[in-house]
């Protein structure tokens, strides 16, 4: 099997078929995408485009998405778990803030393709090699350092 080549652009983004689960359990299509930036190699972002043409972005550990596609994982603001709906394999994200709880369903095959690109761009275990540690330390030192 040929090795995957990550997208050349950085950051890169993949549009997804997503559904917002309503409080009554019905599903509404929701424009969404996943984004990865090599400069923040431990994270991925989920971008949700609302009916008010606003984009809501959730950024969380990429490992949550990897693990959550196979088994329930996460505690607190982001929880991820596998599921099925009408025979389609899904990845379900439960997103919680102080004022809201949202559940979004993504197609597993699309998440798997995106995560394949992420792992091709920054293989597991090499994330730290892609972090600008000097810049990160400068953020903590403050302007008088």
């Amino acid at each position: 099997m040929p090795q995957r080549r990550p997208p050349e652009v950085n950051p890169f983004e993949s549009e997804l078929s997503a559904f917002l689960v309503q409080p009554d359990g019905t599903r509404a299509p929701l424009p969404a995408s996943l984004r990865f930036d090599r400069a923040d190699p431990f994270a991925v972002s989920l971008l949700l485009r609302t009916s008010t043409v606003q984009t809501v972005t959730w950024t969380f550990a990429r490992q949550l998405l990897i693990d959550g596609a196979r088994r329930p994982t996460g505690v607190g603001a982001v929880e991820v778990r596998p599921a099925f709906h009408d025979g389609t394999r899904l990845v379900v994200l439960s997103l919680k803030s102080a004022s809201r709880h949202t559940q979004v369903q993504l197609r597993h095959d699309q998440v798997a393709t995106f995560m394949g690109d992420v792992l091709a761009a920054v293989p597991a275990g090499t994330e730290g090699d892609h972090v600008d540690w000097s810049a990160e330390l400068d953020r903590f030192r403050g302007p008088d350092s």
Side-chain angles (χ1 to χ4, degrees):
M1 183 169 163
Q3 187 175 2
R4 272 192 91 77
R5 292 179 49 125
E8 297 296 321
V9 297
N10 186 55
F12 60 85
E13 196 169 310
S14 294
E15 296 205 8
L16 306 168
S17 300
F19 293 91
L20 177 66
V21 180
Q22 306 290 338
D24 65 1
T26 59
R27 299 171 358 132
L30 179 67
S33 58
L34 285 168
R35 177 182 291 167
F36 179 72
D37 185 344
R38 289 172 183 90
D40 190 5
F42 292 100
V44 294
S45 295
L46 174 66
L47 291 79
L48 305 171
R49 289 161 192 85
T50 68
S51 58
T52 60
V53 192
Q54 177 185 18
T55 300
V56 177
T57 302
W58 283 80
T59 300
F60 51 93
R62 75 183 202 170
Q63 196 63 45
L64 274 178
L65 207 50
I66 293 168
D67 293 345
R70 293 175 288 167
R71 60 178 167 72
T73 191
V75 176
V78 180
E79 297 176 8
V80 186
R81 65 179 171 79
F84 284 90
H85 184 269
D86 290 338
T88 301
R89 192 171 174 191
L90 303 171
V91 177
V92 179
L93 287 89
S94 294
L95 309 169
K96 300 171 190 161
S97 68
S99 62
R100 191 168 179 124
H101 176 215
T102 301
Q103 192 173 92
V104 177
Q105 297 175 340
L106 308 174
R107 283 188 27 199
H108 180 276
D109 61 333
Q110 293 175 332
V111 171
T113 297
F114 172 78
M115 290 311 301
D117 290 342
V118 167
L119 291 169
V122 178
T126 69
E127 297 91 344
D129 298 342
H130 297 266
V131 175
D132 181 348
W133 293 109
S134 294
E136 292 297 320
L137 288 172
D138 287 346
R139 288 181 359 153
F140 292 106
R141 288 188 186 127
D144 297 332
S145 301

PDB file of all heavy atoms in Angstrom, residues 31 55 72 91 126:
ATOM      1  N   PRO A  31     -22.680  22.527   8.098  1.00  0.00           N
ATOM      2  CA  PRO A  31     -21.382  22.668   7.419  1.00  0.00           C
ATOM      3  C   PRO A  31     -20.254  22.647   8.453  1.00  0.00           C
ATOM      4  O   PRO A  31     -20.301  23.366   9.453  1.00  0.00           O
ATOM      5  CB  PRO A  31     -21.480  24.035   6.734  1.00  0.00           C
ATOM      6  CG  PRO A  31     -22.938  24.348   6.670  1.00  0.00           C
ATOM      7  CD  PRO A  31     -23.550  23.681   7.880  1.00  0.00           C
ATOM      8  N   THR A  55     -18.775  31.211  12.345  1.00  0.00           N
ATOM      9  CA  THR A  55     -18.005  29.982  12.488  1.00  0.00           C
ATOM     10  C   THR A  55     -17.603  29.824  13.947  1.00  0.00           C
ATOM     11  O   THR A  55     -17.031  30.731  14.543  1.00  0.00           O
ATOM     12  CB  THR A  55     -16.755  29.995  11.591  1.00  0.00           C
ATOM     13  OG1 THR A  55     -17.164  30.116  10.229  1.00  0.00           O
ATOM     14  CG2 THR A  55     -15.944  28.724  11.757  1.00  0.00           C
ATOM     15  N   PRO A  72     -15.049   5.315  23.530  1.00  0.00           N
ATOM     16  CA  PRO A  72     -15.356   6.589  24.188  1.00  0.00           C
ATOM     17  C   PRO A  72     -14.140   7.122  24.929  1.00  0.00           C
ATOM     18  O   PRO A  72     -13.425   6.369  25.601  1.00  0.00           O
ATOM     19  CB  PRO A  72     -16.473   6.229  25.171  1.00  0.00           C
ATOM     20  CG  PRO A  72     -17.079   4.983  24.605  1.00  0.00           C
ATOM     21  CD  PRO A  72     -15.937   4.240  23.952  1.00  0.00           C
ATOM     22  N   VAL A  91     -18.372   9.307  14.154  1.00  0.00           N
ATOM     23  CA  VAL A  91     -17.610   9.770  15.306  1.00  0.00           C
ATOM     24  C   VAL A  91     -18.446  10.891  15.904  1.00  0.00           C
ATOM     25  O   VAL A  91     -18.788  11.858  15.210  1.00  0.00           O
ATOM     26  CB  VAL A  91     -16.212  10.285  14.908  1.00  0.00           C
ATOM     27  CG1 VAL A  91     -15.479  10.823  16.127  1.00  0.00           C
ATOM     28  CG2 VAL A  91     -15.405   9.183  14.239  1.00  0.00           C
ATOM     29  N   THR A 126       6.299  12.422  17.099  1.00  0.00           N
ATOM     30  CA  THR A 126       7.207  13.473  16.618  1.00  0.00           C
ATOM     31  C   THR A 126       6.624  14.869  16.809  1.00  0.00           C
ATOM     32  O   THR A 126       7.215  15.849  16.357  1.00  0.00           O
ATOM     33  CB  THR A 126       7.556  13.290  15.126  1.00  0.00           C
ATOM     34  OG1 THR A 126       6.390  13.538  14.324  1.00  0.00           O
ATOM     35  CG2 THR A 126       8.104  11.898  14.856  1.00  0.00           C
TER      36      THR A 126
END
